[in-house]
């Protein structure tokens, strides 16, 4: 599972739309969409923010 797939899984488990997650972590919905479909990879900063938001480690987010 790649990072985008993991973000999508976490977002859906939390019952969040892409827009709502984007608001919560301070980014744009287009970024969430691009990450989830694999068009772009989140920056390390965005990975940290996402991991912190969901209360997981970077290793867990990266599937390590």
């Amino acid at each position: 599972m790649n990072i985008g797939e993991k973000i999508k899984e976490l977002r859906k488990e939390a019952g969040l739309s892409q827009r709502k997650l984007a608001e919560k972590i301070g980014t744009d919905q287009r970024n969430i969409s691009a990450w989830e479909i694999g068009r772009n990879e989140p920056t390390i900063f965005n990975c940290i923010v996402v991991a912190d938001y969901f209360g997981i480690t970077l290793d867990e987010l990266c599937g390590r």
Side-chain angles (χ1 to χ4, degrees), residues 36-53:
E36 289 184 358
I37 64 174
R39 187 174 338 136
N40 293 332
E41 294 266 329
T43 65
I44 188 64
F45 174 79
N46 289 128
C47 287
I48 292 167
V49 171
V50 169
D52 285 350
Y53 178 79

Side-chain angles (χ1 to χ4, degrees), residues 15-31:
L16 296 171
S17 66
Q18 289 181 347
R19 183 174 308 278
K20 192 53 119 173
L21 176 58
E23 289 172 8
K24 300 269 187 193
I25 66 169
T27 193
D28 191 272
Q29 180 271 328
R30 290 174 290 191
N31 289 331

